[in-house]
Amino acid sequence: MRNFRKSDKDAIIILLVVIIICMAALPLLRSSEDKGKSPNKMEYASKPRQYTRKQPYYKVPEKQYELFYFDPNTADSTQLLRLGLQPWQVRNIYKYRAAGGRYNKPTDFARLYGLTLKQYKRLEPYIKIEKEVMAADVYKSSQNLSVKDTTVKKDSALIGYYTKIKEGEQIDINTADTSELKHIPGIGSYYAKRIVSFRQRLGGIANVHQLLEIQGFPESSLKYMTTGQSASTRQLPITRIRINHLDVNNLSRHPYIRYVQAKEIMNHRRLRGPIKKADDLRRLPSFTDKEVERLEPYIDYSP
């Protein structure tokens, strides 16, 4: 500073003073700017947040449905879907109808698996179940049929027009095929196949109550069935087993003869001779009276 002139020294001092003043004023200028731009912290905290809901990528239209009169027994999938039913509900209706089921009154439709109360209340006023109609020419021909013992004849043309046979009518379960059996109330595809399989293994059905041996079989369906027994000869259309000629394996194939019983029959034939009557079977240790009574219609006692 000694080498500077007096005027230079004064200029430097003035410059230093200006710098100090500017540095002191800078924080004040920043605080004033912040007050003008940002709200007070307390004010910001008290102000509720404004949430904006994100717009979906696409708008899902609500499912439209129509209301019109329909018969749940005959309505096709297009009509059922138009009524607002889900595809899987329509499939359940088709499965029920394919199994021989029928909606006889509007409240039966409420039992549809998966149908909500809201759906049923919406559809109930529009359920119109039509009565079964039989073609005129078939009806005319049916008037000339002489049906004995209220038994329905094996006439596929006539039976095909009935979804289910009426009270007092019967079907011969020893000759009917699965299509005819499905016309019995309570019998659908499942039980029709089980009846035919059971009949084949036995060699025929001697008493309709034997069908109760099929698990879950509807007892109410028995009154619509007959075994086809002849009123004059009292004979049943049954294939009998020659009990005095078959070996153990063939005897035990019959559903009513266990393997141990087949062996006892063979021992009786070997030691005592042929089996001549049911009492011979009752004497065997493994047979009960009930089992002998059930088996007897299937036995041929010829030596």
Side-chain angles (χ1 to χ4, degrees), residues 6 16 114 176 180 210 215 220 229 243-244 263:
K6 186 176 183 303
L16 291 173
E180 292 174 296
Q210 289 176 261
Q215 185 175 4
S220 59
Q229 181 176 356
I243 198 169
N244 291 308
K263 289 186 68 175

mmCIF file of all heavy atoms in Angstrom, residues 6 16 114 176 180 210 215 220 229 243-244 263:
data_model
loop_
_atom_site.group_PDB
_atom_site.id
_atom_site.type_symbol
_atom_site.label_atom_id
_atom_site.label_comp_id
_atom_site.label_asym_id
_atom_site.label_seq_id
_atom_site.Cartn_x
_atom_site.Cartn_y
_atom_site.Cartn_z
ATOM 1 N N LYS A 6 -2.270 8.122 -3.224
ATOM 2 C CA LYS A 6 -3.395 8.343 -2.315
ATOM 3 C C LYS A 6 -4.710 8.124 -3.025
ATOM 4 O O LYS A 6 -5.654 7.549 -2.478
ATOM 5 C CB LYS A 6 -3.328 9.781 -1.758
ATOM 6 C CG LYS A 6 -4.392 10.037 -0.689
ATOM 7 C CD LYS A 6 -4.207 11.443 -0.123
ATOM 8 C CE LYS A 6 -5.214 11.670 0.992
ATOM 9 N NZ LYS A 6 -6.563 11.493 0.604
ATOM 10 N N LEU A 16 -13.920 -1.999 -1.733
ATOM 11 C CA LEU A 16 -14.098 -2.986 -0.673
ATOM 12 C C LEU A 16 -15.398 -2.754 0.102
ATOM 13 O O LEU A 16 -16.131 -3.688 0.463
ATOM 14 C CB LEU A 16 -12.907 -2.971 0.276
ATOM 15 C CG LEU A 16 -11.574 -3.502 -0.299
ATOM 16 C CD1 LEU A 16 -10.426 -3.262 0.697
ATOM 17 C CD2 LEU A 16 -11.697 -4.981 -0.622
ATOM 18 N N GLY A 114 -74.711 -70.825 -9.821
ATOM 19 C CA GLY A 114 -74.032 -69.570 -10.129
ATOM 20 C C GLY A 114 -74.963 -68.407 -10.398
ATOM 21 O O GLY A 114 -74.505 -67.274 -10.551
ATOM 22 N N ALA A 176 -84.937 -101.364 -22.746
ATOM 23 C CA ALA A 176 -84.766 -99.973 -23.164
ATOM 24 C C ALA A 176 -83.286 -99.637 -23.322
ATOM 25 O O ALA A 176 -82.433 -100.116 -22.567
ATOM 26 C CB ALA A 176 -85.406 -99.037 -22.150
ATOM 27 N N GLU A 180 -84.031 -94.162 -24.445
ATOM 28 C CA GLU A 180 -85.359 -94.357 -23.873
ATOM 29 C C GLU A 180 -85.343 -94.160 -22.358
ATOM 30 O O GLU A 180 -86.275 -93.584 -21.791
ATOM 31 C CB GLU A 180 -85.869 -95.755 -24.210
ATOM 32 C CG GLU A 180 -86.174 -95.955 -25.686
ATOM 33 C CD GLU A 180 -86.541 -97.402 -25.984
ATOM 34 O OE1 GLU A 180 -85.680 -98.280 -25.799
ATOM 35 O OE2 GLU A 180 -87.690 -97.631 -26.382
ATOM 36 N N GLN A 210 -83.464 -103.339 -7.358
ATOM 37 C CA GLN A 210 -82.036 -103.628 -7.464
ATOM 38 C C GLN A 210 -81.251 -102.396 -7.910
ATOM 39 O O GLN A 210 -80.059 -102.272 -7.616
ATOM 40 C CB GLN A 210 -81.808 -104.764 -8.473
ATOM 41 C CG GLN A 210 -82.274 -106.134 -7.993
ATOM 42 C CD GLN A 210 -82.104 -107.183 -9.071
ATOM 43 O OE1 GLN A 210 -83.056 -107.532 -9.757
ATOM 44 N NE2 GLN A 210 -80.886 -107.684 -9.232
ATOM 45 N N GLN A 215 -75.062 -96.247 -6.628
ATOM 46 C CA GLN A 215 -74.890 -95.169 -5.661
ATOM 47 C C GLN A 215 -75.644 -93.902 -6.083
ATOM 48 O O GLN A 215 -75.502 -93.418 -7.197
ATOM 49 C CB GLN A 215 -73.401 -94.842 -5.499
ATOM 50 C CG GLN A 215 -73.121 -93.803 -4.415
ATOM 51 C CD GLN A 215 -71.630 -93.593 -4.205
ATOM 52 O OE1 GLN A 215 -70.817 -94.152 -4.911
ATOM 53 N NE2 GLN A 215 -71.288 -92.779 -3.232
ATOM 54 N N SER A 220 -87.331 -92.228 -6.394
ATOM 55 C CA SER A 220 -88.605 -91.748 -6.948
ATOM 56 C C SER A 220 -88.792 -92.151 -8.404
ATOM 57 O O SER A 220 -89.907 -92.104 -8.918
ATOM 58 C CB SER A 220 -88.676 -90.222 -6.821
ATOM 59 O OG SER A 220 -87.600 -89.614 -7.518
ATOM 60 N N GLN A 229 -91.620 -108.488 -16.954
ATOM 61 C CA GLN A 229 -92.012 -109.869 -16.627
ATOM 62 C C GLN A 229 -93.338 -110.204 -17.282
ATOM 63 O O GLN A 229 -94.292 -109.440 -17.225
ATOM 64 C CB GLN A 229 -92.121 -110.038 -15.116
ATOM 65 C CG GLN A 229 -92.505 -111.448 -14.682
ATOM 66 C CD GLN A 229 -92.502 -111.597 -13.170
ATOM 67 O OE1 GLN A 229 -92.151 -110.669 -12.468
ATOM 68 N NE2 GLN A 229 -92.888 -112.757 -12.690
ATOM 69 N N ILE A 243 -74.803 -122.861 -12.681
ATOM 70 C CA ILE A 243 -73.996 -122.913 -11.459
ATOM 71 C C ILE A 243 -73.242 -124.235 -11.295
ATOM 72 O O ILE A 243 -72.230 -124.300 -10.585
ATOM 73 C CB ILE A 243 -74.899 -122.645 -10.229
ATOM 74 C CG1 ILE A 243 -74.055 -122.253 -9.023
ATOM 75 C CG2 ILE A 243 -75.807 -123.821 -9.936
ATOM 76 C CD1 ILE A 243 -74.873 -121.733 -7.861
ATOM 77 N N ASN A 244 -73.718 -125.283 -11.924
ATOM 78 C CA ASN A 244 -73.062 -126.594 -11.789
ATOM 79 C C ASN A 244 -72.042 -126.870 -12.888
ATOM 80 O O ASN A 244 -71.494 -127.983 -12.955
ATOM 81 C CB ASN A 244 -74.110 -127.714 -11.777
ATOM 82 C CG ASN A 244 -74.951 -127.703 -10.508
ATOM 83 O OD1 ASN A 244 -74.409 -127.694 -9.405
ATOM 84 N ND2 ASN A 244 -76.267 -127.681 -10.661
ATOM 85 N N LYS A 263 -65.677 -120.500 -4.575
ATOM 86 C CA LYS A 263 -64.871 -121.643 -4.140
ATOM 87 C C LYS A 263 -65.714 -122.633 -3.336
ATOM 88 O O LYS A 263 -65.564 -123.857 -3.473
ATOM 89 C CB LYS A 263 -63.695 -121.151 -3.300
ATOM 90 C CG LYS A 263 -62.622 -120.424 -4.113
ATOM 91 C CD LYS A 263 -61.424 -120.086 -3.264
ATOM 92 C CE LYS A 263 -60.678 -121.348 -2.860
ATOM 93 N NZ LYS A 263 -59.424 -121.035 -2.123
#
